[in-house]
Amino acid sequence: MSKDKKFLPNFIKQNINLRISISVIFLMLIIPAFITFIFYSYRTNYLIYKQNAINLVVRANEESIHSLIEFLDPIVDAVRVTSKMVASNPELINQEKITEHSIVNLENNLNVVSYFLSSKDGSFRQVQRTNQAIPIAGRVPPDGSQYVSWVIDRSKNQNGESTYTFFKSWGDVIAKFTSPNKYDPRERPFYKGITKNFSEGKFDIPLIEDPYFTNSTKQAVISISHPITVSNQLLGSVTAQVKVASFADFLLKNKISKNSQTIIFNEQGDVIVHPEVNLGFIKEKDTLVPRKIVDLDSSPASVAKKIYDQIGSKQIEFTFGENKVPYLANFNSFPANYIKPWIVMTVVPLDDFMAELNIINQRLIIFGIFAFILITFLTFYFSKLISKPLESLTTEIQNIFTFKSDDYPQVTSSIYEISTLSNAIKRLKSTIAAFTSYVPKDLVNDLLSSGKAIELGGESRYLTVLFSDLKDFSTLSEITPSRELLLRVSSYLELMTYAIKEEGGTIDKFIGDSVMAFWGAPLLDQNHAYHACVAAFKTKRRMVFLNEKLVAEEKPPLVVRIGIHSDAVLVGNIGSAERLSYTVMGDGVNIAARLEGINKEFNTDICISHSLFKEAGERLWVRPIDQITVKGRKGELIIYELMGIQDGDAETAPTEIEKELCIFTKKAFDLYMNGSYVEALVIYEDLVLRFDDGLAAVMVAKCRNKIN
């Protein structure tokens, strides 16, 4: 009883230590991984959303400029067309016909509130929309009026009166009156700007003014003017007035997000258009005083503009307010060749784009906490499940190494690896016990404790071997100068080397004009036979181009013959400590070399073995050559000629003639193998006649020998 008490605490101590060790190690790995995963996921998602937000702001800012140009261009085109029309008939300035044209322009563009012509003699003809709340020359517009024209004709009288005519539509006059004139368009900024441009040689350049207050419409407008010129003489100008509010509405409708702001300002930093119209300027009596963006009461826009002025970057990230809210800002100028060098600024709080990200991150954290709790529970459970049988197995292994013969019961476990380990230890124990009956225990113990590994020079592996050489190379070498021969052979070897490397092969050696290569070592290649065939056929195709070049140089072409075989061979480092070679050896190598030579007997180019055909034949275009006996092998084997690759690219696909040769040669060969030599002879002779096929010619002779 006392012995059991002594043993039990020690066992419990070991059990607890192992379990805690597994649990602590696992948790030490999982907690940093979990925290890293959460942080990485959050950071990655944040950067993705942030980059998307930046891209969106940049794109929206650029699109704002394009949209503003599209907003302005029809108005610019309208005043340009009118100026050209008047230039072709200057009398129109003082004719009512131009009033009809102006009304049509107002009807065609609802953003334009006023349309007028000014002449160099001070004449003025304006058409604007009426508003019951805005008096015209001290009078309330009559009911039903839609437009009012204001005409000052100085062509006859320099102190001409102002004539006002109210229209429901063109030709439908509701009221008309005159009043003394105090207005001279030539004194207005728009006309002075046109005159200045004209004096600088800008005869056909529109003028867009910054916002100003107009008494006729009692609102802030931006005017777009175009000079009227005849024979390089300034006759006057055509002007369209657009409400600043229309620009502001345009910016509001094209907001990128709920809290975004797009502001137009000039090179001096003056606000041209603010989405909240009254923030863009200060009205003093009937004059607009532009505001600076930097003076917009410490708004995000003012902060962005200050940073922009300091660093000059188009893309800005900054924080605003006591809570350090992150903002994105983007600045872009109107095109350099555009009428006004305005700048468009888009400012957006980053949180406008992060709502979905926050939801994703909340779910990620909740899921992570739940997963962490579950993993912790499973860790303690499986640590117990693993630790108890491992302790018993550890004790039994220690007994094996010390040759203790204590007979412990076999450990059982529902875990496959532990159960397998228990069975292996039991067999190891039985094996060592039997081994020690033949070998001294001291020697066995030394072998067990040293753990020395046995190193071999090679291993047996099933792979594919390729041999190649050039036809009639000996004759060629006798009639060709050495340097020229070297260059020509090098061209062929380079071509073949590339083909082999492209298909993952290993070049063993070059032997004169011969190449030896193999596939399937040192790296395993499940498709070694197929890749060897693709490399061989690429070589055949590329030799055509090489020979075309040689023939063009009046040199004899080169014909390459290839043999390929798949077999189990010895592969590894062979040699001595001074010199090692990674190569293949075995009967399979000899067969590949023999197949290369067989090409000569059958007038073929690429000869493959039946074992290779079994490996990759369904992916190849081949035709049977003959059934032969190979030296060193019992029995006969069928050999084939490679004619192309199925489902390959254009380089390795067979021609229609090659496909026909495959089909009809197969039929002839089947007849030949069945003893129907006469029928086979007919097909082979037909192939010789139709295609001048060398293999068929050889088989014709064989068939005739069989028949005779």
Side-chain angles (χ1 to χ4, degrees), residues 307-321:
I307 298 174
Y308 173 76
D309 291 339
Q310 292 173 359
I311 65 176
S313 175
K314 289 186 177 181
Q315 297 179 25
I316 295 173
E317 297 177 30
F318 64 99
T319 58
F320 177 77

Side-chain angles (χ1 to χ4, degrees), residues 321-332:
E322 296 179 356
N323 296 327
K324 301 294 182 181
V325 177
Y327 273 77
L328 300 174
N330 195 79
F331 295 78
N332 252 319

Side-chain angles (χ1 to χ4, degrees), residues 467-473 492 496 511 513-515 559-563 596-597 599:
F467 270 88
S468 78
D469 78 345
L470 293 176
K471 178 182 178 182
D472 299 330
F473 180 72
Y492 143 69
M496 191 158 195
I511 309 170
D513 64 317
S514 299
V515 178
V559 178
V560 62
R561 295 183 295 207
I562 299 173
E596 180 273 315
N599 284 297

Side-chain angles (χ1 to χ4, degrees), residues 335-348:
N337 59 349
Y338 199 67
I339 307 167
K340 292 292 285 188
W342 287 339
I343 302 169
V344 176
M345 171 178 66
T346 302
V347 182
V348 188

Side-chain angles (χ1 to χ4, degrees), residues 136-194:
I136 303 296
R139 299 189 185 187
V140 176
D143 294 337
S145 63
Q146 297 292 325
Y147 305 97
V148 58
S149 71
W150 174 17
V151 178
I152 303 172
D153 188 355
R154 286 194 172 92
S155 61
K156 299 178 181 179
N157 182 3
Q158 286 297 313
N159 297 318
E161 296 179 324
S162 294
T163 302
Y164 298 89
T165 306
F166 294 89
F167 301 89
K168 183 176 182 180
S169 61
W170 172 247
D172 188 0
V173 177
I174 296 177
K176 184 175 183 179
F177 68 93
T178 60
S179 69
N181 174 53
K182 298 180 180 179
Y183 182 82
D184 189 342
R186 294 170 295 185
E187 300 300 320
R188 303 298 297 170
F190 72 87
Y191 197 91
K192 292 181 177 179
I194 287 291

Side-chain angles (χ1 to χ4, degrees), residues 1-14:
M1 187 70 180
S2 60
K3 182 178 180 181
D4 291 339
K5 290 181 180 179
K6 182 178 180 182
F7 171 76
L8 189 59
N10 185 49
F11 175 80
I12 292 175
K13 182 179 179 181
Q14 292 177 356

